[in-house]
Amino acid sequence: MGEVVEVVNLGPVAKAREEAETPAISAPPFQLQCPSMARSPLLDTGRPKTPKSPFASRLMTPIASPMKKAITSMQGCLEEVGHFTKLDPQDAWLPITESRNGNSFYSAFHTLCSGIGVQALVLPLSFIALGWTWGILCLSVAFIWQMYTLWLLVQLHESESGARYSRYLRLSMAAFGEKRGKLFALLPTMYLSGGTCVTLIMIGGATMKIFFQTICGATCDVNPLTTLEWYVAFTCCSIVMAQLPNLNSIAGVSLIGAITAILYCTLTWVVSISKRRPVGVSYHPLEEKSDVERLFSIFNALGIIGFAFRGHNLVLEIQGTMPSSVKRPSRVPMWRGVKFAYIIIAMCLFPIAIGGYWAYGNLIPNGGMLDALHKYHAHDTSRFLLGLTSLLVVVNSLSSFQIYAMPVFDNLELRYTSKMNKPCPWWLRSGIRAAFGCLAFFIAVALPFLPSLAGLIGGIALPITLAYPSFMWLLIKKPKKYSGIWYLNWVLGALGMVVSILVVTGAIWSIVTVGMEIHFFKPQ
């Protein structure tokens, strides 16, 4: 007789007990972290550990222990079924990505600080060549265009494979290939970072001198510092502030920089339109000797407008400071902060361009609104107001130096961490930042004519803002051929390259025809 096998119904109570003894495998609720990636305490999210199995389960076959370890490791790497988020462990050692607790407020602060600067004060110069109608139209088109490319970069930060491109250069290499990506993006991004820091030393040092002269007055007996000594003072302040460790730690500095930029932009155009306009103000475009010169002056004006909307080389870095998951991707808080920031930026740039041109017309000096304020209204404006405007420019320059220098610090520390396979010690990090500040100071002193080349090098960097994001979207996202988004990005990418070439050509023509005063080691 065959044996009778009895099937026993365990019932709901026994099933509940059995399920309680089996530990559930769950993903961490927020930022994904793998145990194999926990090479820095910064990567530890403090997620709850899986409960230990009963004592009996530890005495199972030798295969059980490796299986259990594999499952425990997988639960730290899997966030949702079929989805992986790839994190480079080296990112925990670098200034841009070592802290990933950013939010939409930090995004707004950094974007405002990098998006508004002294370049806004020269926007009325573009209206001299373009006039009222074309000036406002070109400014509006440029604003909408760069907002669209900014949205593309925010969307491209996280790929479908789970990789995060927390640096513009990394995204360029992923889209164009390693060699061509470096060729296209390395020089423009490094110029926009390092070159901007050099320019900020010049502007900040010169404005500190103006601030001192304004507050001290004509009857002051104090022996004033030279321009070189003011450069030294500004550089020392910048180096001290640069000791803050990472991009998230300077969020407060960026907030101060954003507030000061909004204040001095508002003060300059409000004071300018509230005072009597200078005698001989005209709004007719300047008559050029030939049609060619007229054409190239328009190209220079487009370069001024294009350079006013800088900051795209920092968008991916700012987004890289945020946590990200499938349910809460970083693009959501990033875009929320960017939208708020660019509403404020538009409220600063458009009034200063339109109001500045209305107040001074073709009489506005090459230095922009700040020079015009001191040239035409020094006699009918209080010293307190003039001094406050200069002080705000100095504070904003110090704050902008920090955020634009951060990619340079990150790139220099990357060389060390890649070679030594460990994070930079504090003394080396401080030395790198002090050395960069000294190098930027040396260039500012050795090449005081560098701002005259801003149009030329700005044209070279213009594809970072207007062209490359469209091409990278086509290569990475691969939209349907001949669709609306496909045509749009091809047109904008090609047009951005054409505009860049025209701006560079116009800058070269201006240097050749007008000339440029070159003097080494003689800052004015």
Side-chain angles (χ1 to χ4, degrees), residues 193-203 401 439-441 443-444 450:
S193 295
T196 300
C197 291
V198 173
T199 306
L200 287 171
I201 290 177
M202 296 179 181
I203 295 171
F401 186 95
L439 177 61
F441 166 78
I443 296 174
L450 195 62

Side-chain angles (χ1 to χ4, degrees), residues 225-291:
L225 300 178
T226 64
T227 304
L228 178 62
E229 291 170 334
W230 285 116
Y231 282 11
V232 173
F234 183 88
T235 305
C236 291
C237 294
S238 299
I239 291 175
V240 172
M241 293 177 63
Q243 301 308 313
L244 293 171
N246 52 63
L247 194 55
N248 270 340
S249 66
I250 65 170
V253 176
S254 294
L255 174 60
I256 295 173
I259 294 173
T260 53
I262 294 169
L263 288 176
Y264 74 68
C265 284
T266 305
L267 278 176
T268 50
W269 71 263
V270 168
V271 171
S272 297
I273 66 175
S274 62
K275 302 293 182 178
R276 185 184 298 274
R277 286 183 292 177
V279 178
V281 171
S282 173
Y283 305 111
H284 296 288
L286 296 177
E287 295 183 2
E288 304 290 349
K289 296 179 180 178
S290 64
D291 293 337

Side-chain angles (χ1 to χ4, degrees), residues 168-170 172-173 176 178-194 313 407-408 411 414-415 460-461 464 468:
Y168 198 103
L169 182 60
R170 299 275 182 89
S172 177
M173 292 167 60
F176 303 118
E178 184 173 353
K179 292 184 178 179
R180 284 183 296 179
K182 288 182 179 179
L183 179 64
F184 293 160
L186 184 59
L187 175 62
T189 53
M190 285 299 103
Y191 166 74
L192 284 174
S193 295
N313 62 310
V408 180
N411 192 42
L414 175 64
R415 301 291 179 266
I460 298 175
I464 292 287
Y468 289 169

Side-chain angles (χ1 to χ4, degrees), residues 159-376:
S159 66
E160 294 180 357
S161 62
R164 294 185 67 177
Y165 302 112
S166 300
R167 294 156 187 85
Y168 198 103
L169 182 60
R170 299 275 182 89
L171 181 62
S172 177
M173 292 167 60
F176 303 118
E178 184 173 353
K179 292 184 178 179
R180 284 183 296 179
K182 288 182 179 179
L183 179 64
F184 293 160
L186 184 59
L187 175 62
T189 53
M190 285 299 103
Y191 166 74
L192 284 174
S193 295
T196 300
C197 291
V198 173
T199 306
L200 287 171
I201 290 177
M202 296 179 181
I203 295 171
T207 310
M208 289 175 77
K209 182 179 180 180
I210 294 173
F211 171 74
F212 176 81
Q213 293 172 347
T214 303
I215 297 300
C216 193
T219 59
C220 184
D221 297 331
V222 178
N223 187 22
L225 300 178
T226 64
T227 304
L228 178 62
E229 291 170 334
W230 285 116
Y231 282 11
V232 173
F234 183 88
T235 305
C236 291
C237 294
S238 299
I239 291 175
V240 172
M241 293 177 63
Q243 301 308 313
L244 293 171
N246 52 63
L247 194 55
N248 270 340
S249 66
I250 65 170
V253 176
S254 294
L255 174 60
I256 295 173
I259 294 173
T260 53
I262 294 169
L263 288 176
Y264 74 68
C265 284
T266 305
L267 278 176
T268 50
W269 71 263
V270 168
V271 171
S272 297
I273 66 175
S274 62
K275 302 293 182 178
R276 185 184 298 274
R277 286 183 292 177
V279 178
V281 171
S282 173
Y283 305 111
H284 296 288
L286 296 177
E287 295 183 2
E288 304 290 349
K289 296 179 180 178
S290 64
D291 293 337
V292 176
E293 290 187 1
R294 168 69 177 161
L295 184 63
F296 283 116
S297 66
I298 293 175
F299 293 159
N300 279 328
L302 295 177
I304 292 172
I305 293 176
F307 194 63
F309 297 109
R310 64 182 183 180
H312 279 51
N313 62 310
L314 295 172
V315 172
L316 296 172
E317 284 79 355
I318 296 171
Q319 192 172 351
T321 64
M322 297 181 177
S324 184
S325 65
V326 175
K327 295 181 180 179
R328 301 182 64 183
S330 61
R331 64 177 177 269
V332 176
M334 180 65 188
W335 184 241
R336 188 184 302 120
V338 166
K339 285 189 295 184
F340 173 80
Y342 269 87
I343 291 174
I344 305 298
I345 290 174
M347 294 171 61
C348 291
L349 298 189
F350 280 87
I352 202 170
I354 298 172
Y357 186 60
W358 180 88
Y360 305 111
N362 296 340
L363 297 179
I364 187 168
N366 291 331
M369 292 291 288
L370 193 62
D371 286 358
L373 201 62
H374 285 270
K375 181 178 181 180
Y376 298 113

